[in-house]
Amino acid sequence: MLTMPIFTRLMTTEQYGLYSLYNSWLQVLTVVVTLRLTYAVFNKGMSKYPGDRDSYASTMQSLTSIIGLLFLAMYLVMRGWVNAITGLSTLITLAMFCEVLLMPAISFWMARIRYDFKYKPIVLVTVLMAAGNAVLGALAVILSEDKATARILSAVFVHVAIGAALYVRNLQKAGGRFVPEYARFALAFNAPLLPHYLSMYALDSFDRVMVAKMVGLSAAALYGVAYNIGLIMKIVADSISNAMVPWQYRQLAQGDLRAVERRWYPILLFVGALVIAFVAVAPEMVAILGGSKYLEAIYVIPPVAVSVPLILAYTMFANVELHYDANKFMMYASVVAAAANVGLNLVLIPQFGYLAAAYTTLFCYFGLAVGHFLYVDYVVRKNSGGRRVLHPTRLLAMCAGLIVAAGFLTGMYEFPVARYVMVLAVCAALIVKRNDIKTLFGGVAE
């Protein structure tokens, strides 16, 4: 995110569109090759095998590498056909495979130490990656005529270098152990979730691929930059979600769902307030991070930003489903949402342009959050003797208020003073409630 202002100014919209397209296909390959073993199944394994967590991490890493090498061999046989579909060259695709093979090591390492509430090493590695990405990337783009390829390869180099170091560290910490039992458990657990992860990719990123194919690389760049700016709040939401996961699993293991539920709604309200403040300054964010040539895309940001609390909501609900091993609904709900997203995009993008993709994404995330809520309510009542602990009216009221406020602010983009007053009001409310916020998040680490 911090490097975006550099590269949107050094690269044309077509060049940045190709870089955006690369990142979209990278997410597809990551889902297929890693089977998302760095996600829910890893946290599940951390709680299932508490006495052998390092070996579990080592096993997941080795399993990911085996699968990745098999896919690489298949690509080398069918590279002409694959390149025609993706629009990427063999060089760039091979670089993508290098990233996919080694980046999971970073995710496994972070997830493993996060489970013990150790955050300083994560911050250090993240800052190192960001700094290396910015410096090396800027130099490569300035010195190269093929700026899109230079940007891609510089990012791959940084990720692969750090990933390789942590790959070795993960293996050394567990003595290189590969436990077949852990691999069988992970594959059996994640098999029903793979359609879910692919569908979530379709919701999160495939719209950029569709915009590139249906409108062009320049439109993909405009949409991609605005979309990424809109997801800045997702950094906050993901941080909260990742910090909540170990605590949430421990509370669920103790049967104290009420403690989890008590924190859900204040956290969603907190993120919603931040999103409203962010939507209010969307034009300024695009001007700073993208530059004047991206200003026409400011209206992409409100629907994308409003999607963030919905993503956080369904993620927290899904963690409860995973705790109760009720993970099949995730597959069905995600496939339906992704199919709806692709179908709506096929119909609406030709009529309304790339802006339609942002609103179809919001609509599908809303449906996904509501669907997960209803299913979690059913699962909880089933496992608690019919006792109801969730309150649907709160969720719907927050969603409605968020959408109305974002819509109002979108109409106020021509009146900056009024928007700034709203931002100050939100900031003042958060300052007044700062002790409550500290209590809300402080209790998670206890």
Side-chain angles (χ1 to χ4, degrees):
M1 197 64 64
L2 294 174
T3 62
M4 187 186 297
I6 301 172
F7 298 108
T8 53
R9 288 164 172 81
L10 289 175
M11 302 164 68
T12 66
T13 53
E14 289 84 1
Q15 292 166 343
Y16 200 86
L18 180 59
Y19 174 61
S20 179
L21 183 65
Y22 168 84
N23 285 324
S24 297
W25 282 115
L26 175 64
Q27 291 190 42
V28 176
L29 190 64
T30 299
V31 173
V32 174
V33 170
T34 68
L35 303 180
R36 278 295 194 250
L37 296 176
T38 59
Y39 274 53
V41 70
F42 191 85
N43 289 310
K44 183 73 174 178
M46 290 292 98
S47 61
K48 185 177 177 68
Y49 306 108
D52 201 19
R53 288 172 177 166
D54 290 330
S55 294
Y56 184 81
S58 174
T59 300
M60 294 302 99
Q61 180 173 278
S62 298
L63 182 60
T64 299
S65 298
I66 293 170
I67 298 170
L69 290 172
L70 289 174
F71 272 96
L72 175 58
M74 287 190 288
Y75 166 73
L76 292 174
V77 174
M78 303 183 295
R79 62 183 179 276
W81 177 71
V82 173
N83 293 352
I85 292 176
T86 62
L88 301 176
S89 67
T90 299
L91 172 64
I92 290 178
T93 306
L94 289 175
M96 187 187 301
F97 267 100
C98 291
E99 193 164 358
V100 169
L101 284 167
L102 290 170
M103 275 293 285
I106 302 174
S107 299
F108 286 127
W109 174 78
M110 287 184 174
R112 171 66 189 89
I113 66 172
R114 187 186 291 120
Y115 213 84
D116 294 331
F117 297 105
K118 296 177 181 178
Y119 290 93
K120 290 181 180 179
I122 294 178
V123 173
L124 178 63
V125 169
T126 304
V127 169
L128 183 62
M129 282 197 296
N133 215 326
V135 174
L136 186 62
L139 288 174
V141 169
I142 291 170
L143 296 174
S144 175
E145 293 185 4
D146 187 354
K147 297 184 184 303
T149 301
R151 175 70 190 105
I152 291 167
L153 294 181
S154 63
V156 170
F157 178 82
V158 173
H159 295 157
V160 166
I162 295 175
L166 292 177
Y167 191 102
V168 174
R169 179 181 175 83
N170 291 342
L171 291 178
Q172 287 177 338
K173 197 161 186 183
R177 288 189 68 202
F178 181 89
V179 183
E181 176 193 345
Y182 299 166
R184 287 192 296 269
F185 160 74
L187 291 174
F189 186 92
N190 253 30
L193 293 176
L194 189 57
H196 158 72
Y197 290 132
L198 284 169
S199 299
M200 293 315 300
Y201 156 75
L203 265 178
D204 188 44
S205 299
F206 198 66
D207 48 2
R208 278 168 273 188
V209 174
M210 295 183 73
V211 169
K213 292 286 186 181
M214 299 171 72
V215 187
L217 285 177
S218 290
L222 290 168
Y223 181 78
V225 167
Y227 191 95
N228 286 335
I229 293 172
L231 286 182
I232 286 178
M233 283 295 100
K234 193 171 183 291
I235 297 171
V236 177
D238 285 346
S239 299
I240 292 171
S241 178
N242 289 332
M244 283 280 292
V245 165
W247 176 86
Q248 189 172 352
Y249 269 95
R250 290 174 187 176
Q251 299 303 314
L252 292 171
Q254 296 169 12
D256 192 0
L257 184 62
R258 180 69 71 180
V260 176
E261 192 262 350
R262 279 198 301 266
R263 277 194 167 84
W264 275 351
Y265 298 109
I267 286 174
L268 289 174
L269 189 62
F270 171 74
V271 174
L274 293 179
V275 165
I276 291 301
F278 184 80
V279 169
V281 295
E284 289 75 18
M285 294 299 296
V286 174
I288 294 170
L289 294 175
S292 58
K293 58 188 174 184
Y294 291 92
L295 280 176
E296 70 174 77
I298 58 173
Y299 294 100
V300 170
I301 293 178
V304 173
V306 171
S307 300
V308 170
L310 300 175
I311 295 171
L312 178 60
Y314 91 72
T315 301
M316 293 191 297
F317 299 150
N319 287 336
V320 178
E321 295 168 24
L322 293 171
H323 170 74
Y324 289 113
D325 293 325
N327 54 0
K328 289 186 179 179
F329 176 81
M330 294 176 66
M331 175 183 69
Y332 302 137
S334 301
V335 169
V336 170
N341 184 250
V342 172
L344 289 170
N345 282 340
L346 286 172
V347 174
L348 297 177
I349 289 177
Q351 295 186 45
F352 301 103
Y354 60 81
L355 182 60
Y359 282 94
T360 60
T361 299
L362 172 61
F363 174 79
C364 292
Y365 273 128
F366 177 78
L368 198 60
V370 171
H372 275 285
F373 177 88
L374 294 174
Y375 185 67
V376 164
D377 184 50
Y378 161 76
V379 169
V380 169
R381 284 188 284 113
K382 180 181 177 181
N383 287 274
S384 62
R387 184 168 57 96
R388 187 167 218 163
V389 296
L390 305 178
H391 304 281
T393 52
R394 294 182 185 177
L395 177 65
L396 292 174
M398 281 191 288
C399 290
L402 189 62
I403 291 171
V404 169
F408 173 76
L409 286 168
T410 302
M412 297 290 291
Y413 279 167
E414 300 298 323
F415 307 97
V417 175
R419 291 188 285 111
Y420 299 156
V421 169
M422 288 196 66
V423 172
L424 291 174
V426 171
C427 292
L430 294 176
I431 291 171
V432 169
K433 293 290 185 180
R434 64 187 181 279
N435 290 329
D436 293 335
I437 295 171
K438 289 179 182 179
T439 301
L440 175 66
F441 293 110
V444 171
E446 292 175 355

